[in-house]
Amino acid sequence: MQRNGLYILYMSACIGLLCLLASPPCYGNSEAKDFILVIDAGHGGHDPGAVGRISKEKDINLKVARQLGELIETECPDVKVIYTRKRDVFIPLNRRAQIANDAKADLFISIHTNSLAKNHTAKGASTWTLGLAKSQANLEVAKRENAVILYEDDYKTRYAGFDPNSSESYIIFEFMQDKYMSQSVHLASLVQQQLHHTCRRIDRGVHQAGFLVLKASAMPSILIELGFISTPEEERYLNSKEGINTLSKGIFRAFLAYKQEQQARTSTSAPATTATNSEPPKAARATASVSLPVFKIQILTSSELLRSNDKRLKGLKDVKHYKEKGLYKYTYGSSNDYEQILRLKQSIASKFKDAFIIAFKKGEKMDIHQAIQEYNEHK
Ligand SMILES: [Zn+2]
């Protein structure tokens, strides 16, 4: 987004309500990674995105993207999360889509923060899908986001002469067929419901506009504008722990609802009453209420963050960690199947003889005995 110079100081007495976020469960095949999600933190490196009074868009986007990814990795053993960036680096726009296309991802979620030019103020979250902008204001959002290609040296050849600032360039979106449109719009509406009800954000709705990053990705894809960095009150929220936490959980819950509907639709054992794309609110309510514990093996605790090649990990690949009481706790394996994790634990017993099994539900650690009992009841 463009840099804004001056801001009207807009003070609001609105107090953000933090609700307890009971996440819906993630279920499915716990052994194979049968769903690939690409999370795209907008901007990065020498492209700061929109710049506020106390922060830059690129940093807000990255924090929410990473936290969202961690929630999904903890909660959904069957989902492979791929990040277009996990650090403060510049990634060309078409490269972001290419990462998703190469991975044959099932879903692409791009995370951004909105901004208005000086003397304008607005609040709220919006979610966007690919399409033709219906208003000048909507076109402006796409223009600001697409302007990131101007940071790329060879953007004229790379984007076939597309000028992000020229309205004429956007004619290419007019006759475009997007076969993923209904899925994208459905997910976008689930995200908006969560951002509104769970995160207490003003609902600015689901919109379409010509975003290059969405055009280049060959799967259902959305772009979320979390809030306005140009509005001081929202900027403070977007930079607060509570804001990052709540926004991540809201998007997480929308993702789960979307994924569960997809699974229910493709599963032959799914109930016939599964809602369809055309009825987003009903579909969200139809989400299954089964919540299964996720078992993992805790292998190691450290007061510092370890590199993936640290010798204390003894060459084990795909080691994850969570934080508890200021310590990094390293885990191996992740499954709803307790017996599978038990076998996995035995397979690494020679290397990690003190390893033990732990369980999570809704992203929170839970009592292992309770978890095993629930596993036995549902198997
Ligand atoms: Zn942006």
Side-chain angles (χ1 to χ4, degrees):
M1 290 221 163
Q2 304 286 319
R3 180 182 300 263
N4 289 316
L6 294 166
Y7 300 94
I8 298 167
L9 191 63
Y10 178 76
M11 298 299 288
S12 163
C14 174
I15 297 164
L17 289 172
L18 220 198
C19 34
L20 285 172
L21 304 164
S23 312
C26 192
Y27 62 89
N29 183 351
S30 55
E31 287 186 272
K33 302 279 187 188
D34 56 8
F35 193 102
I36 300 173
L37 166 69
V38 171
I39 303 178
D40 174 45
H43 312 277
H46 63 278
D47 165 19
V51 176
R53 291 170 162 237
I54 57 166
S55 63
K56 292 175 179 148
E57 181 193 350
K58 63 175 184 176
D59 299 317
I60 297 169
N61 300 344
L62 184 60
K63 281 181 198 159
V64 173
R66 292 196 62 148
Q67 192 144 331
L68 170 64
E70 274 170 31
L71 278 170
I72 294 168
E73 284 166 349
T74 304
E75 187 72 15
C76 309
D78 59 334
V79 177
K80 181 175 184 182
V81 178
I82 296 173
Y83 304 83
T84 54
R85 68 179 180 102
K86 282 186 99 170
R87 295 178 296 120
D88 183 18
V89 287
F90 180 78
I91 313 275
L93 207 57
N94 63 349
R95 175 71 196 133
R96 296 168 189 265
Q98 194 191 340
I99 289 169
N101 294 343
D102 289 350
K104 297 190 167 45
D106 297 285
L107 193 60
F108 181 85
I109 298 180
S110 189
I111 296 176
H112 287 259
T113 305
N114 217 335
S115 178
L116 286 178
K118 59 184 176 183
N119 301 331
H120 290 85
T121 187
K123 290 199 282 188
S126 52
T127 303
W128 300 73
T129 65
L130 183 62
L132 188 65
K134 289 203 174 71
S135 70
Q136 188 61 33
N138 288 0
L139 178 61
E140 289 306 316
V141 174
K143 278 185 177 179
R144 284 197 296 270
E145 295 296 8
N146 290 335
V148 297
I149 66 172
L150 302 177
Y151 285 98
E152 300 173 31
D153 295 334
D154 50 353
Y155 79 91
K156 279 186 180 149
T157 47
R158 193 177 278 173
Y159 300 97
F162 184 88
D163 176 357
N165 293 320
S166 151
S167 298
E168 284 73 51
S169 284
Y170 288 77
I171 197 98
I172 59 167
F173 294 98
E174 192 152 359
F175 302 106
M176 187 192 54
Q177 295 281 325
D178 178 12
K179 62 178 172 175
Y180 305 105
M181 181 154 172
S182 71
Q183 283 161 283
S184 302
V185 169
H186 178 52
L187 173 63
S189 63
L190 291 172
V191 169
Q192 280 306 116
Q193 284 171 38
Q194 286 295 331
L195 292 177
H196 182 53
H197 295 295
T198 301
C199 309
R200 307 279 172 189
R201 301 286 89 198
I202 291 171
D203 180 5
R204 299 182 69 86
V206 173
H207 304 280
Q208 277 73 51
F211 293 93
L212 289 177
V213 72
L214 299 184
K215 184 171 186 290
S217 44
M219 73 261 342
S221 55
I222 59 168
L223 186 147
I224 303 169
E225 296 280 4
L226 299 167
F228 287 85
I229 199 171
S230 50
T231 302
E233 182 205 336
E234 289 218 329
E235 187 183 18
R236 281 195 297 277
Y237 175 80
L238 293 164
N239 281 280
S240 68
K241 240 185 179 163
E242 179 206 323
I244 304 278
N245 256 330
T246 315
L247 291 165
S248 312
K249 283 203 175 171
I251 302 167
F252 170 61
R253 294 183 70 181
F255 165 74
L256 288 187
Y258 173 86
K259 179 173 163 292
Q260 285 164 5
E261 288 165 29
Q262 294 284 313
Q263 283 175 329
R265 211 171 289 134
T266 51
S267 162
T268 48
S269 59
T273 52
T274 302
T276 63
N277 262 348
S278 56
E279 298 168 299
K282 192 174 153 199
R285 286 196 300 275
T287 302
S289 60
V290 187
S291 180
L292 299 178
V294 176
F295 296 96
K296 298 179 179 210
I297 306 159
Q298 186 164 319
I299 54 169
L300 187 68
T301 295
S302 167
S303 57
E304 76 223 30
L305 199 56
L306 303 181
R307 288 172 174 273
S308 59
N309 60 357
D310 190 286
K311 62 179 191 306
R312 281 166 282 183
L313 298 175
K314 299 180 185 175
L316 217 54
K317 295 269 181 287
D318 289 326
V319 172
K320 308 272 185 207
H321 71 267
Y322 66 101
K323 254 173 130 175
E324 192 177 58
K325 296 187 178 120
L327 291 172
Y328 295 95
K329 303 198 169 175
Y330 286 82
T331 66
Y332 183 60
S334 180
S335 175
N336 298 126
D337 184 343
Y338 175 69
E339 285 156 55
Q340 187 201 335
I341 288 293
L342 206 56
R343 285 194 295 275
L344 191 63
K345 178 173 163 285
Q346 281 155 3
S347 75
I348 59 162
S350 60
K351 284 182 174 175
F352 298 94
K353 64 178 171 45
D354 297 326
F356 54 93
I357 297 177
I358 55 174
F360 291 84
K361 192 191 272 187
K362 295 170 187 167
E364 306 283 344
K365 204 168 158 189
M366 71 178 290
D367 181 81
I368 184 67
H369 302 290
Q370 174 69 26
I372 294 168
Q373 194 180 330
E374 288 182 23
Y375 165 75
N376 285 325
E377 282 164 11
H378 286 100
K379 76 174 174 178

